[in-house]
Each structure stands twice: as structure tokens, then as C-alpha cells.
Amino acid sequence: MNISTYTVKPKLPPSLKPLEEIANNLWLSWNFDVVQLFIRLDYDAWLQSQQSPVRTLGMVSQERLAEAAQDDSYLAALKEVYERFQRYKKGETWYRGGRKDVVAYFSMEYGMDVSLPIYSGGLGILSGDHMKTSSDMGLPLVGVGLLYRQGYFKQYLNADGFQQESYPENDWYNMPVERKTGKDGNPVKITVDLAGRQATAQIWEVKVGRSSLYLLDTNIDENAPDIRNITAALYGGDKETRIQQEIFLGIGGIRALRALGINPAATHMNEGHSAFLGLERIREIMAEKGFSFEEARETVWPTNIFTTHTPVPAGNERFDTGLMEKYFRSWPQILGISWKDFLGLGRIYPNDDHETFCLTVLALKFAAYANGVAKLHGVVSRDMWKGLWPGLPLDEVPIHHVTNGVHPRTWVSSGMTELLDRYFGPHFEDEPTDLAIWDRMDRISDEELWRTHERRRERLVAFARERIREHHKRTGAVERRIRQAEDALSPYALTLCFARRFATYKRGNLLLRDPERLLRLVKDNDRPVQLIFAGKAHPNDMPGKDLIREIIHFADKYEVTSRIVFIENYDMTVARYLTSGGDVWLNTPRRPMEASGTSGMKAAMNGVLNCSIMDGWWDEAYNPEVGWAIGHGEQYQDDQLQDDVESKALYDLLERDIIPLFYQRGRDGLPREWIKRMKTCMREIGHSMSSHRMLMDYSNNFYFPALKNYRRMFATDYAEARSLAAYFGKLRQAWDSLKIVKLESNARPVMQRGDSLTVTAHLELGAMSPDELQVELYHGSVSNQSRDITNARRTEMKAVGQEDNMWLFRVRIECADTGFQGHTVRILPKHPALIHPYRTGFIKWA
């Protein structure tokens, strides 16, 4: 059948034209007064559109549009919102520099609004908040991702409580995306090679305030059916689909920016999915400048940033040699290296032919700047990937941390935002990087804060009841069961929320381990407690699905379905209700398997107190005034023992601390001590866990240095990179001939604090000159047990002359610490173009 296609857009009266521009910019996703314009236009259409402003405009009748165009009140509200939108786009921002060279931020998923379902969970929500915050701050940043035809799955439970999935198709012509076209009016397209076949993608733009996100889409006519399906579903398909998606994200993403005339001067790989971009950037510079692989690599290395999110080895993307050979066999020839060296780029141990190709390893080798997403996760990541830097002490492994944050105006509920705006003033919206504004929490009266919070809990209960009623109707429940949903939960009871991906390590069933103890709490009519669960298990994760069913069966078995409920299809809408309407946010992962977690931050900014294992962000944010810690950060070898100990600790906290504090009311009915903690929690977490703090950290530590590196190299036609490549070529040749022959010092068996210690090292340097090497005295306390140096200091030694064909390096230090002390000497690379001296295989100890 031959079908001619075209696009039909809604016909808006002139006075309503601004609605179209607003609907196509996700600025509306963190401005509730904008959303209200679409709700006011036609509430039924808003619900039927599944909260999509673009689709709502297409569903509203022309009669209703004509009516709204004559409504003074509606037009005044539209005018006010549109003027604020224009001020936002044109206003001054935190970043005042140029925008010619950009940081390109690559992520597999983006969760910015329920109307654009191309996200699955925490990684996507973080990427969405990253984009929104870059807009607020005016950063020269663009996002790159894939446009999934089906997005992530929708979850529904059958009558037995077993998770099932549906995959609705996304209708891009009724969503806030716009296909990019060239001057000729035709779609802008790029191609990549997939195992000898040319695969094509078109590019769509999502406007996010001042920023733009570009998404690649392979579902076009010129592609074969299997290639069209590459962007069919997020995390869908098999390993082959994954490598195809990641080729398009990394290699195709760079080509898409070039096709749009955008220069990715620096690139930020958010997780290893986009690591292939390093290969494409190297290929580009080799083709453009005639550089060798090593020269091009040194050009790209100082401008790459990599963020790892996965604290378990199995969570890092790996491909076997057969799959790599199928898709990358031509690349060694393009890059001018051997097949073995190419595979070595993705291996911790390049000579191990049995090791699979890991995208995290590739990203770490190509990036001068690398980080985990919480302080504890930085420690875990350094330990996980220390094999890449053999001989380097763990604390020096060049993986830092930037703790995640959340976008306050997206996640603080509309009612709470209104309250904060009233007391914080316009500064709160206009200058979101001024985090000291949260110090004004104490200006808010207890009564107003509690009344606002109670309204949020009432809305959560009403929302949950509606969702439960819909579930019962869909599964054919008897009328009595449907009526029971009307009475599920209480708007006045202490409400505990647990909402996250249902993976076994997150232990969604930890609270069910002692049924008798839990039932005593939920059946207490004087001090009632209720639990709301939500979250999706991966479609292939049967143990995760069993956890969900266990919760459903538990509530049925003990007849507490009105006090323990599960809300289906956890998404941004459900998350907003839960993080603003609960009283306590539960988080129970096995430490240290939670890289960061951000849902607890969202809850905390709404005044919801956290009760969590000391893992992820909570490990650094916890203090007794902002919530509760389950345990003290212990790590166990025995999972069963850990579950028993930590479930008991959780019950103890609930019984002894949390429940009594919540129900401890004054004569005015207010839980004053609880409210005091809410205020402290909002103030401290607002300060420390705002995404604006996160982006300032990324900008100051990574983005601005990377852009500076690019501009400096570009100005000298990359002479610095060529020099560095030549240096490493020379160092590689000379490395085996470098020797630390002997150490001499004036150390006595017992020294006094303040005594001077002089150390001399006799070194054979081969072809290297003294100024080409960093020779360091490595000194500090010595552990009696391991004989290792702990709390080490590093002091550079200076060349003082030659003796018997050896160079003498010397340093004098003061004995500052008491106790058992020791020292040794090491050699590292030294070159003015090095961001840091820690390069794989280049460290030599005495």
C-alpha cells in the first residue's frame, strides 16, 4: 500500500500562539504555572494526552480554542507566563563566557518530563536534571542521545501481582521534539558503518530552556528493518542491539553535531555507553591533520570527561571479541594500529586475549577527567578500576567524585515551591546557584510548613487510591475489592515510601522479614503506619519481579491491603507524588552497591525525612538532624546475616525513634520536633544536593579546564598534543632502562619531631633527561601489619648532579609526624601538557 504522509498541526488563534512555543520547550516541566495553562485549556484533554502539552493542543476543539482566545483571565495568565519565559531565555546567567565551543554531554537516556518517555530510571532522571540545570546556568552545553520509538516499558501487574510489560509507540509528531532540517528543507542525516552496511539516522531537537538536546533516530525509510529497529526501545534487544545503539550514540552522536555545525570542543560521557565517541574524535583529527593515532589520542584526552555510575563489575558494558570483530574490524586500519592494540583499548590487561572489551575501560583510557557520583562511590570506583594503573596507591587512582544532585524546581512540589518562593523571594528562582538562599528555611512558620506538607500527603493518598482502583478494575476484581480502594491508606497516618528499581540488591522486601513485628506497626490504630511501594523490575529480572509479587502477597495474606500498597508504573508523575507526599523515605541497598541514588534527595528537599543504609549520597549527607541511618556503614560477607541485622535495626528505628517522634504532638496538634527536622533537612540538602551545586562542580573541575585545554591546543595547531605523543613515545622506549639504583638518607633509628631528613636517590635515566621525569619522595606513617605507607605525602625531588653515570636527586623534609615512619622513591611521567601524571604502566618504585 502506498501511503503519502504529511504533518497536521493545531490551528491556534493569534492570541494563543505563544502556547505553541511554550509547549515545545521543556522549560514548562519545572514551571507548574505553565502546566496550569494547559490544564485550564481542557482538563479532560490534558488527562487523555497523558500530560503532554503538545498533544493537548492537538486534542482541544477549535471552539474551545476560540473561547480561550477571548478569555481575559486566561490571556492575562498566558501573557505573564510568556513574558517570564522570554526573560528566562534572555536573562543573565551564572556562566558569562562564549558559546562557540561547547561541551557535548552524551547519555543513553534522558528523563525530563512524562511527555517525553525516553528514560528508564535514575540515570535518565539525572541526565534530565543535568540538562535543565545547564539551561538555568547558561552553560555552553548540548545533550546527545537516541530517540526511542517505544521508550521504556510501561509496567502493569496481573491479578497475582506479577509484573508484565507493554511497549506503547511514541508519536513524535505530538511530542516536544522537532526534526532538524537543512537549508534545503530536507532532514539532516548522518551515516555510520555497521558491519559493512551503511546505516542512517535523522536528528531531532528537544529544547530545554536555553539548552538543546539532540536525539538520533534510525526509524527511517532508507534503512533496512533491522537497522530501523536499533532505536526501537531503550535497553531493548540483545547484545548486538546494544553495540549498535552505542555505536550510534558515540560515533553517530559526534557526526550529528558536526552535521549541525556544532563543535564538540569537549565531551562528557555519562556512563560508558557513549565511549566509542573517543574513537570517532581520534579518527576525525587523524583525517583532518594527518596525525598518528598517538598524536590524535593526546589531542582528545585532555578534553574528555567520563562519569561512571556502576559500582558492580557486572553492570559495566562488555562485548566479546567476536562481536567487536564484526563491528570494528576495519577500525585498526583507520587508526593505524594493530588489532591486538585496538582490543587492548578496552581491556584492563591489554595482553589478556580472554578479557572482553569493556566500554568503561575505553572511556577511562580516553578521558583525562573521570569521576564517580558520590564520595563513597569514588572510593569504590578507584578500587574497581585500580588495575588500569598498576603500582599506583589506591587514593591516587585518577577517579574523583562529583556527588549527584537534583533540580529543585522540578522536584519540589508546586505547593511547597509556592511557600519557598514566598519566603525566599525572587532570588530563589532568578539565581539558583545562590545556595545560601536555603538558610531562609527558619523564616517559615511551623504551621505553614506542616499544613503544606499535609496537603501533599492528602494528594498522595488520593492519587494512590485512584491508581489502586484502576488496577482492580483492569484485573477484574469484585466490586467489594474495588470499593475497598476508596478506603486504602489514610491522609493522616505516618507514611513510609519505598520507590526505586526493583533489583534484589535494593532489598525492597527488607521490612517484610519479621511479619509479626511489621504487622504490629501497621495495625496500630493509635499510631498507624502505612507503606507505599513503587518501582519497576527489568523485564528479564525474575528475582526482581518476585520481590514485587512478595509485597502484594504479603498485604493480601495478612489483610493489610489498606495499609501496604504498591503503585504500578513508577515514572516521573508517580515519583513527584511520592517524594513530596510521604513522611519517611526508605532506602535499603546492600552497601556499597548504590552508586549515589537521587530519589532521597528529591524527598529531602520536600521535607520528607530519609531513613537509609549508609550508602551512596546518604553516606556523606547523613547527620542525626536530617534523618536516620540504618547501621553504621558496615559491610558483610554473609547476605542473610546482613539482612537480619539491618532489618532488625530498621524495626528498632521505627519503634523507638521515628513513630514516637511523628506522633509526639503539642497542644496545637503540631509535631514540633518533626517539623524542626524537616526544616534542617530541607536547608542542608537544598544546600548540598542541588543540581546547581553539581553543575558548578562539573564546570569548575572538568568543563572549564577541558575547554581551556581545547582552546590552548587549537591556538597552536595542537603542537602540545604532538609534543606529548612524542614524549610518551620516547618514554616508552626508555622505560625499561630507568632504574632507581639506591637510596641514601641521614635517617637515624630514632628521630625527633622537627628534625631534618635528607634523602638522595641514585637513578639511571637512559635516554631521558632529569627534567622529563617526576621523581618523588613518597613518605608517611608505616603500618606495622602491612608494612605499607599510609597517609602518604609526596614531595618532588630535584636533580643535583651526576655521579658514576647516574643522576642524583635529592630532597630535604622535616619530620612532622610521630610514630613509625618510612619513605621510598618513585618515578612518574612529567610533561607540561599532562593534566595528571598517572598514565597506565608508567610508575616505577624503588
Side-chain angles (χ1 to χ4, degrees):
M1 183 186 304
N2 187 14
I3 300 175
S4 299
T5 60
Y6 44 87
T7 304
V8 178
K9 292 193 171 186
K11 185 179 180 182
L12 295 178
S15 59
L16 299 184
K17 272 289 182 188
L19 279 174
E20 192 166 30
E21 184 183 347
I22 293 170
N24 283 286
N25 192 308
L26 288 180
W27 177 76
L28 61 82
S29 67
W30 68 94
N31 289 277
F32 187 68
D33 54 347
V34 187
V35 172
Q36 283 180 312
L37 289 174
F38 296 92
I39 293 174
R40 279 180 66 181
L41 200 57
D42 189 326
Y43 184 62
D44 290 336
W46 174 253
L47 293 180
Q48 288 170 28
S49 75
Q50 297 178 314
Q51 302 176 43
S52 167
V54 176
R55 189 178 288 122
T56 297
L57 289 181
M59 294 172 69
V60 176
S61 69
Q62 288 301 134
E63 291 77 15
R64 173 62 190 129
L65 289 172
E67 188 181 307
Q70 302 300 318
D71 184 336
D72 290 351
S73 169
Y74 187 85
L75 292 176
L78 173 58
K79 182 173 183 286
E80 183 183 341
V81 163
Y82 189 63
E83 285 175 351
R84 190 156 62 84
F85 178 47
Q86 296 302 319
R87 284 198 305 274
Y88 174 85
K89 289 202 296 182
K90 296 170 185 172
E92 281 198 344
T93 59
W94 178 78
Y95 177 76
R96 308 279 174 88
R99 305 186 63 84
K100 179 187 168 194
D101 304 317
V102 304
V103 177
Y105 175 83
F106 286 71
S107 184
M108 199 73 165
E109 49 175 305
Y110 290 87
M112 288 179 289
D113 189 59
V114 71
S115 68
L116 189 65
I118 55 169
Y119 63 95
S120 71
L123 180 73
I125 300 298
L126 175 78
S127 302
D129 282 4
H130 202 105
M131 290 302 303
K132 293 173 185 179
T133 310
S134 77
S135 166
D136 287 345
M137 294 168 63
L139 292 173
L141 182 142
V142 299
V144 180
L146 302 179
L147 191 70
Y148 303 101
R149 195 167 74 239
Q150 295 175 332
Y152 205 51
F153 70 89
K154 288 201 168 185
Q155 175 200 52
Y156 63 99
L157 305 183
N158 66 15
D160 187 44
F162 188 74
Q163 173 184 296
Q164 296 179 298
E165 300 88 27
S166 67
Y167 294 86
E169 296 271 328
N170 287 323
D171 175 9
W172 302 125
Y173 299 95
N174 277 311
M175 289 186 173
V177 296
E178 179 186 359
R179 188 162 50 180
K180 297 301 289 180
T181 55
K183 292 177 181 176
D184 58 3
N186 293 320
V188 177
K189 295 176 182 177
I190 59 97
T191 61
V192 298
D193 176 85
L194 287 182
R197 303 163 71 197
Q198 288 298 300
T200 305
Q202 60 185 355
I203 306 163
W204 300 74
E205 180 182 12
V206 180
K207 291 185 171 66
V208 189
R210 301 179 178 96
S211 299
S212 287
L213 165 64
Y214 298 102
L215 302 171
L216 278 72
D217 168 26
T218 64
N219 185 28
I220 52 178
D221 292 341
E222 51 257 63
N223 286 330
D226 61 321
I227 293 176
R228 294 184 66 163
N229 281 332
I230 290 173
T231 55
L234 171 60
Y235 304 135
D238 55 14
K239 273 285 185 185
E240 188 148 13
T241 305
R242 286 295 282 273
I243 198 170
Q244 291 171 339
Q245 287 185 337
E246 287 158 351
I247 288 168
F248 261 107
L249 178 63
I251 296 172
I254 292 290
R255 292 180 185 179
L257 294 176
R258 296 290 184 205
L260 295 169
I262 296 168
N263 178 32
T267 50
H268 182 179
M269 297 169 276
N270 189 43
E271 195 52 284
H273 305 124
S274 58
F276 292 136
L277 69 81
L279 299 174
E280 174 63 9
R281 295 190 72 199
I282 288 170
R283 185 202 65 77
E284 278 187 336
I285 202 79
M286 288 178 70
E288 182 187 337
K289 295 291 181 183
F291 281 6
S292 68
F293 171 76
E294 291 298 338
E295 288 172 333
R297 179 179 178 169
E298 297 303 342
T299 303
V300 168
W301 183 74
T303 64
N304 270 349
I305 301 111
F306 170 59
T307 299
T308 176
H309 292 261
T310 313
V312 288
N316 292 272
E317 192 79 274
R318 288 182 175 274
F319 298 112
D320 62 44
T321 304
L323 207 53
M324 287 302 297
E325 184 153 17
K326 179 176 179 179
Y327 286 95
F328 287 93
R329 200 63 182 90
S330 62
W331 274 83
Q333 187 177 352
I334 294 169
L335 300 177
I337 59 177
S338 70
W339 176 241
K340 187 178 180 68
D341 285 346
F342 180 83
L343 290 178
L345 295 172
R347 289 172 171 166
I348 297 176
Y349 307 106
N351 292 320
D352 180 0
D353 291 336
H354 298 290
E355 187 180 342
T356 51
F357 191 97
C358 178
L359 291 193
T360 303
V361 172
L362 181 66
L364 285 168
K365 287 185 176 181
F366 278 170
Y369 307 98
N371 69 284
V373 288
K375 186 176 181 180
L376 177 62
H377 183 231
V379 174
V380 171
S381 298
R382 286 190 286 278
D383 189 48
M384 271 181 69
W385 304 108
K386 62 188 176 188
L388 280 168
W389 296 273
L392 193 64
L394 196 59
D395 64 337
E396 292 183 87
V397 168
I399 302 176
H400 308 283
H401 80 274
V402 174
T403 302
N404 284 344
V406 298
H407 189 251
R409 297 193 84 84
T410 293
W411 294 106
V412 177
S413 71
S414 56
M416 190 66 77
T417 300
E418 286 173 14
L419 182 66
L420 298 181
D421 279 338
R422 201 156 68 243
Y423 283 92
F424 288 6
H427 209 48
F428 183 45
E429 181 178 8
D430 297 341
E431 293 192 42
T433 53
D434 180 9
L435 302 175
I437 202 79
W438 289 92
D439 289 335
R440 297 183 181 182
M441 274 307 304
D442 289 334
R443 296 182 179 186
I444 302 173
S445 70
D446 289 358
E447 291 82 1
E448 280 193 280
L449 183 61
W450 188 246
R451 192 160 61 243
T452 301
H453 177 65
E454 287 203 305
R455 279 199 296 269
R456 300 314 307 170
R457 194 190 313 113
E458 288 165 9
R459 287 179 65 105
L460 168 59
V461 168
F463 172 76
R465 287 173 177 173
E466 181 59 33
R467 283 295 184 94
I468 296 164
R469 192 161 48 238
E470 288 173 6
H471 166 74
H472 287 331
K473 284 181 178 177
R474 185 175 44 74
T475 55
V478 296
E479 189 61 33
R480 177 181 58 82
R481 189 79 187 267
I482 296 171
R483 282 200 305 273
Q484 280 179 343
E486 304 282 354
D487 198 34
L489 304 173
S490 162
Y492 312 108
L494 172 62
T495 304
L496 314 181
C497 293
F498 179 98
R500 52 200 16 89
R501 183 164 56 88
F502 264 77
T504 50
Y505 79 86
K506 293 178 184 275
R507 298 188 296 178
N509 60 346
L510 191 66
L511 207 48
L512 310 184
R513 285 184 76 80
D514 188 339
E516 187 179 328
R517 209 166 168 185
L518 177 58
L519 291 169
R520 243 191 345 259
L521 300 180
V522 298
K523 289 185 173 182
D524 186 337
N525 290 323
D526 294 326
R527 300 192 304 183
V529 176
Q530 57 196 14
L531 280 81
I532 303 178
F533 292 90
K536 297 176 178 179
H538 187 277
N540 300 328
D541 182 4
M542 298 311 291
K545 291 183 177 185
D546 287 340
L547 281 182
I548 295 172
R549 186 161 53 179
E550 183 184 344
I551 292 165
I552 306 291
H553 283 208
F554 183 96
D556 282 339
K557 178 181 177 181
Y558 294 106
E559 298 181 338
V560 285
T561 53
S562 64
R563 294 280 173 88
I564 299 177
V565 305
F566 188 95
I567 298 178
E568 292 173 306
N569 201 37
Y570 185 45
D571 64 4
M572 290 184 75
T573 299
V574 177
R576 283 192 175 106
Y577 278 102
L578 291 170
T579 55
S580 64
D583 296 300
V584 176
W585 195 259
L586 286 177
N587 187 31
T588 54
R590 284 198 179 92
R591 177 184 164 113
M593 296 177 75
E594 184 89 328
S596 175
T598 56
S599 58
M601 302 175 189
K602 297 159 194 162
M605 285 189 194
N606 279 288
V608 178
L609 304 181
N610 276 259
C611 178
S612 174
I613 298 290
M614 294 288 279
D615 198 9
W617 76 282
W618 192 239
D619 185 66
E620 64 196 84
Y622 165 73
N623 77 61
E625 301 305 312
V626 301
W628 296 272
I630 304 167
H632 302 283
E634 302 89 349
Q635 290 174 216
Y636 298 76
Q637 297 299 315
D638 184 332
D639 287 351
Q640 287 299 317
L641 174 64
Q642 182 175 6
D643 292 353
D644 284 339
V645 169
E646 292 178 341
S647 66
K648 287 183 173 70
L650 177 52
Y651 292 127
D652 288 344
L653 280 173
L654 287 167
E655 292 167 351
R656 297 175 190 173
D657 294 347
I658 297 173
I659 296 170
L661 190 70
F662 182 82
Y663 285 108
Q664 179 186 316
R665 307 293 168 107
R667 292 173 64 185
D668 55 7
L670 294 177
R672 296 277 181 184
E673 282 302 310
W674 188 278
I675 296 168
K676 182 181 175 184
R677 287 201 187 198
M678 286 175 66
K679 287 183 175 179
T680 305
C681 175
M682 293 174 75
R683 180 174 63 247
E684 295 200 8
I685 305 306
H687 258 298
S688 62
M689 297 300 158
S690 161
S691 55
H692 298 89
R693 185 273 311 152
M694 176 181 78
L695 260 290
M696 286 190 282
D697 286 350
Y698 273 115
S699 297
N700 291 323
N701 297 331
F702 303 148
Y703 291 170
F704 297 162
L707 289 172
K708 186 178 178 183
N709 296 338
Y710 169 80
R711 292 181 189 122
R712 189 178 64 248
M713 287 192 299
F714 183 78
T716 60
D717 201 26
Y718 306 105
E720 197 175 87
R722 293 199 303 274
S723 168
L724 191 56
Y727 167 79
F728 273 113
K730 180 181 177 183
L731 186 61
R732 211 169 278 114
Q733 292 290 321
W735 190 249
D736 289 341
S737 64
L738 296 182
K739 288 185 175 63
I740 303 171
V741 178
K742 66 176 178 177
L743 301 183
E744 297 173 336
S745 78
N746 65 342
R748 302 183 301 276
V750 178
M751 306 277 284
Q752 300 289 319
R753 177 186 276 166
D755 283 355
S756 178
L757 175 71
T758 300
V759 179
T760 303
H762 297 249
L763 274 62
E764 289 182 7
L765 301 187
M768 304 302 290
S769 62
D771 60 349
E772 291 178 313
L773 298 168
Q774 184 160 314
V775 181
E776 293 180 340
L777 183 72
Y778 189 85
H779 55 105
S781 302
V782 176
S783 164
N784 279 323
Q785 185 174 357
S786 67
R787 308 297 287 184
D788 289 333
I789 295 176
T790 59
N791 300 318
R793 292 189 177 94
R794 300 172 290 280
T795 307
E796 188 169 359
M797 304 178 76
K798 300 294 185 186
V800 293
Q802 286 182 282
E803 183 180 289
D804 299 330
N805 294 322
M806 286 186 285
W807 278 95
L808 273 57
F809 285 76
R810 186 170 293 147
V811 70
R812 189 171 71 177
I813 60 169
E814 185 181 289
C815 296
D817 297 326
T818 59
F820 198 37
Q821 302 291 303
H823 63 257
T824 187
V825 169
R826 68 183 188 179
I827 303 173
L828 293 164
K830 184 179 184 181
H831 189 280
L834 273 174
I835 308 303
H836 59 73
Y838 309 124
R839 296 293 283 265
T840 296
F842 290 114
I843 182 168
K844 188 158 287 197
W845 294 89

